[in-house]
């Protein structure tokens, strides 16, 4: 009952979430949950792609698809370093001459944040006949609700990583931004400087 | 005469009796496909050794990475050589499939 109630809270993308589940045979697979909140995009996508390929199992075989089902939640909270939020551009060509389209990361996150992670993971999988099947095993959700609550889910613990120490210029900018934020809190005016806020979020 | 040709060709077509479509029915294509099949077999006998070693390495890597922080196949092999343990990748992969904990015990012994 609770599962059904939770499942019907996001009726809009329920169809998309359950799409093609019947095509995936072998329900001896585990369901792993990745929390994308605060994770760097590429590093998260790399781990997801190893799990989806089944490369963490001793029974890996390159000719058959044996990866676990991966559920990614909080896709809108995934981070990128540097200026990628404004500078990373997704290009695609429609086939008509001169129609090279582009869209920045910021716009894509506003439009559909799940596509960012999906593109990242898909481009890390090997380009063979199993790629589409592996794509079907990926379920990405922008917020932290998903309709698979009644399954036995296993949270995936990201391996620990040593974050590089901040470069001196970036560190000075961070300190300046923190001081400015303190002054503004005391002043009580509007908060400016989204980029520096993003840097504090990444460094923390 | 025709007898001799037929005898030679039936011998060849016996080899290709399980091939698909025209490759098992038409004599000229049978001879060609037989040659191709034998060439592939010859080349792949050597490839088989390479492919399986690759597969064993991937499997060992998969299991070993689950062991600890930043432990990998390369470090395992380094430790194996340092301790002069002669287990080959085939056996290690079999151990990894059948009994993961045994492999963990071996690698823990080797790390020291």
């Amino acid at each position: 009952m609770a599962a059904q109630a939770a499942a019907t809270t996001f009726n809009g993308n329920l169809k998309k979430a359950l799409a093609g589940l019947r095509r995936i045979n072998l329900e001896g697979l585990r369901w792993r949950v990745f929390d994308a909140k605060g994770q760097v995009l590429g590093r998260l996508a790399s781990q997801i792609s190893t799990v989806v390929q089944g490369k963490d199992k001793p029974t890996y075989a390159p000719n058959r698809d044996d990866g676990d089902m991966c559920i990614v939640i909080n896709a809108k909270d995934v981070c990128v370093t540097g200026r990628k939020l404004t500078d990373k551009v997704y290009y695609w060509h429609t086939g008509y001459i001169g129609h090279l389209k582009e869209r920045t990361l910021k716009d894509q996150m506003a439009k559909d944040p799940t596509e960012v992670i999906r593109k990242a993971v898909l481009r890390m999988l090997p380009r063979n006949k199993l790629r589409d099947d592996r794509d079907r095993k990926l379920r990405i959700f922008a917020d932290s609700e998903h309709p698979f609550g009644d399954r036995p889910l296993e949270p995936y613990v990201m391996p620990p990583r040593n974050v590089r120490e901040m470069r001196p210029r970036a560190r000075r900018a961070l300190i300046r931004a923190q001081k400015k934020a303190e002054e503004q809190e005391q002043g009580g005016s509007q908060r400016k400087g989204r980029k520096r806020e993003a840097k504090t979020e990444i460094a923390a | 005469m025709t007898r001799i040709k037929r005898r030679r060709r039936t011998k060849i077509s016996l080899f290709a009796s399980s091939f698909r479509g025209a490759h098992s029915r038409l004599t000229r294509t049978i001879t060609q496909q037989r040659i191709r099949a034998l060439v592939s077999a010859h080349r792949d006998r050597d490839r088989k050794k390479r492919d399986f070693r690759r597969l064993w390495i991937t499997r060992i890597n998969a299991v070993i990475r689950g062991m600890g922080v930043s432990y990998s196949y390369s470090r395992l092999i380094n430790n194996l050589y340092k301790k002069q343990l002669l287990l080959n990748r085939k056996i290690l992969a079999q151990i990894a499939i059948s009994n993961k904990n045994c492999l963990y015990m071996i690698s823990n012994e080797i790390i020291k």
Side-chain angles (χ1 to χ4, degrees):
Chain A
M1 291 298 150
Q4 282 173 5
T8 48
T9 45
F10 34 88
N11 236 337
N13 33 15
L14 189 65
K15 234 184 166 181
K16 187 169 142 196
L18 300 177
L21 260 188
R22 264 185 300 163
R23 272 211 216 180
I24 311 169
N25 50 355
L26 268 183
E27 292 299 326
L29 308 172
R30 296 178 285 180
W31 290 64
R32 321 276 285 265
V33 179
F34 289 79
D35 193 359
K37 194 182 193 110
Q39 299 284 340
V40 183
L41 175 64
R43 295 185 190 258
L44 174 71
S46 169
Q47 300 295 326
I48 296 179
S49 79
T50 36
V51 168
V52 162
Q53 283 180 336
K55 273 195 144 177
D56 50 349
K57 299 184 177 176
T59 51
Y60 170 75
N63 59 337
R64 63 153 210 264
D65 182 23
D66 209 11
D68 298 326
M69 295 283 305
C70 290
I71 303 179
V72 185
I73 55 180
N74 289 324
K76 61 177 176 349
D77 296 323
V78 69
C79 306
V80 290
T81 54
R83 296 199 193 125
K84 286 184 221 171
L85 210 49
T86 43
D87 287 355
K88 182 170 167 76
V89 186
Y90 290 102
Y91 293 100
W92 70 99
H93 198 279
T94 58
Y96 288 93
I97 288 197
H99 286 225
L100 180 67
K101 308 260 179 133
E102 59 181 29
R103 195 183 284 159
T104 56
L105 227 199
K106 208 157 65 139
D107 301 336
Q108 184 69 48
M109 293 289 266
K111 215 167 183 177
D112 188 10
T114 65
E115 271 306 305
V116 170
I117 298 187
R118 184 174 297 274
K119 271 197 168 65
V121 175
L122 225 54
R123 289 175 182 184
M124 290 190 183
L125 295 176
R127 317 312 182 256
N128 54 16
K129 293 187 190 175
L130 300 173
R131 193 166 170 236
D132 290 335
D133 300 330
R134 285 169 175 156
D135 182 26
R136 218 167 281 132
K137 291 194 173 172
L138 249 191
R139 308 282 155 150
I140 307 179
F141 300 98
D143 36 12
S144 56
E145 288 292 321
H146 58 91
F148 303 112
D150 48 345
R151 314 254 179 178
L153 303 170
E154 298 174 18
Y156 181 85
V157 182
M158 292 285 285
R161 105 172 236 242
N162 41 354
V163 188
R164 177 188 72 196
E165 192 187 282
M166 289 196 85
R167 303 271 192 247
R169 178 182 293 184
R171 163 164 294 204
R172 276 180 265 138
L174 187 72
I175 292 174
R176 260 208 316 270
Q178 280 175 346
K179 283 194 187 147
K180 209 170 190 178
E182 285 167 10
E183 285 167 27
Q184 281 174 353
E185 267 176 34
Q186 290 167 5
S189 54
Q190 288 179 6
R191 308 192 74 180
K192 282 191 288 182
R194 249 177 294 147
K195 238 189 250 178
R196 292 185 191 136
E197 207 184 323
K199 276 192 193 160
T200 48
E201 190 186 8
I202 290 157
Chain B
M1 274 99 3
T2 336
R3 276 201 318 270
I4 305 176
K5 277 189 282 183
R6 187 165 38 240
R7 254 187 304 168
R8 194 183 73 235
R9 287 179 189 158
T10 44
K11 265 192 287 188
I12 295 177
S13 71
L14 190 63
F15 182 87
S17 61
S18 62
F19 289 9
R20 194 177 180 190
H23 293 185
S24 56
R25 292 181 179 80
L26 309 180
T27 49
R28 289 204 220 177
T29 42
I30 283 177
T31 39
Q32 291 164 1
Q33 294 306 314
R34 177 175 185 268
I35 292 173
R36 303 194 87 228
L38 291 173
V39 165
S40 296
H42 181 78
R43 165 183 35 106
D44 290 336
R45 272 196 292 274
D46 290 326
R47 258 191 193 276
K48 191 167 45 171
K49 302 167 179 58
R50 296 182 228 169
D51 288 340
F52 270 105
R53 185 167 159 131
R54 241 174 144 205
L55 182 63
W56 297 327
I57 291 177
T58 312
R59 286 184 171 172
I60 297 171
N61 201 1
V63 173
I64 283 293
R65 272 177 202 266
M67 193 168 104
V69 186
S70 76
Y71 196 51
S72 62
Y73 165 83
S74 45
R75 293 181 197 217
L76 174 78
I77 295 295
N78 189 18
N79 292 334
L80 271 177
Y81 283 160
K82 277 201 281 200
K83 296 285 178 159
Q84 295 179 335
L85 194 60
L86 290 179
L87 286 175
N88 58 1
R89 288 138 181 90
K90 179 164 82 170
I91 299 298
L92 283 173
Q94 266 319 111
I95 298 176
I97 297 177
S98 56
N99 191 358
K100 230 192 267 189
N101 291 319
C102 190
L103 193 65
Y104 288 167
M105 282 197 297
I106 295 175
S107 53
N108 279 327
E109 282 297 314
I110 291 172
I111 288 180
K112 289 176 210 157

